[in-house]
Amino acid sequence: MNTLTAPLRESSTKREILLLLKKLGSTTIQEMSEHLGVTGMAVRKHVNALKKDNYIQSSTIRQHIGRPTYIYSLTDLAEQLFPTQYDVLSLELMEEINHMFGELFVDELFKRRKKRLEQKYRLAMTG
């Protein structure tokens, strides 16, 4: 099994934590516990293991009163666990546009994009 994708292939609380963080962006141990229906101690155990493996990062939010709150989110390494496939989507859309409107239309799309990019970078590079 590929070690990079192993945490998502496991049927476990770790997997559920990663999926929850992907969905919510960032959250606390308590919120994860409530969403997953497991104890805060169980969530903390798995979060610490995922932090050790560099899949989760934490940041501190200082409160006016009481202890600081820790917020957890995915690292760049964890983001790689989730498929994106934007390249495949782009190619499929271009094929559909070509099928619906023809090759000349696709060529015109690329010409317009090229012109827009040239203008953008010309402005950025002036001076």
Side-chain angles (χ1 to χ4, degrees):
M1 179 183 332
N2 181 345
T3 57
L4 181 63
T5 59
L8 284 182
R9 293 189 180 172
E10 295 176 10
S11 178
S12 70
T13 303
K14 285 182 187 176
R15 177 180 182 276
E16 295 302 316
I17 289 170
L18 291 170
L19 292 170
L20 185 62
L21 287 173
K22 180 65 175 173
K23 180 180 174 184
L24 299 177
S26 63
T27 191
T28 64
I29 295 285
Q30 181 179 347
E31 290 169 337
M32 284 187 261
S33 173
E34 291 169 4
H35 273 87
L36 300 174
V38 296
T39 66
M41 192 59 130
V43 171
R44 191 169 280 105
K45 174 186 158 201
H46 292 298
V47 163
N48 286 336
L50 289 165
K51 263 182 91 169
K52 183 180 172 226
D53 292 338
N54 200 31
Y55 290 116
I56 291 180
Q57 60 193 356
S58 63
S59 58
T60 307
I61 303 220
R62 302 265 179 227
Q63 307 291 334
H64 292 295
I65 299 173
R67 293 185 288 175
T69 300
Y70 294 94
I71 303 290
Y72 298 90
S73 60
L74 297 178
T75 63
D76 290 339
L77 178 64
E79 289 290 349
Q80 294 174 27
L81 298 171
F82 299 92
T84 54
Q85 304 244 339
Y86 297 127
D87 54 340
V88 173
L89 175 62
S90 298
L91 289 174
E92 289 175 354
L93 288 172
M94 292 309 299
E95 287 174 9
E96 288 300 317
I97 290 170
N98 185 34
H99 179 72
M100 291 171 64
F101 302 107
E103 195 172 319
L104 291 176
F105 189 84
V106 174
D107 289 343
E108 185 61 29
L109 279 175
F110 280 106
K111 285 177 188 175
R112 291 175 64 128
R113 183 174 188 275
K114 177 184 171 188
K115 185 177 179 180
R116 193 170 43 255
L117 287 173
E118 285 174 344
Q119 290 172 344
K120 174 183 172 183
Y121 290 116
R122 189 175 299 115
L123 288 172
M125 298 194 61
T126 53

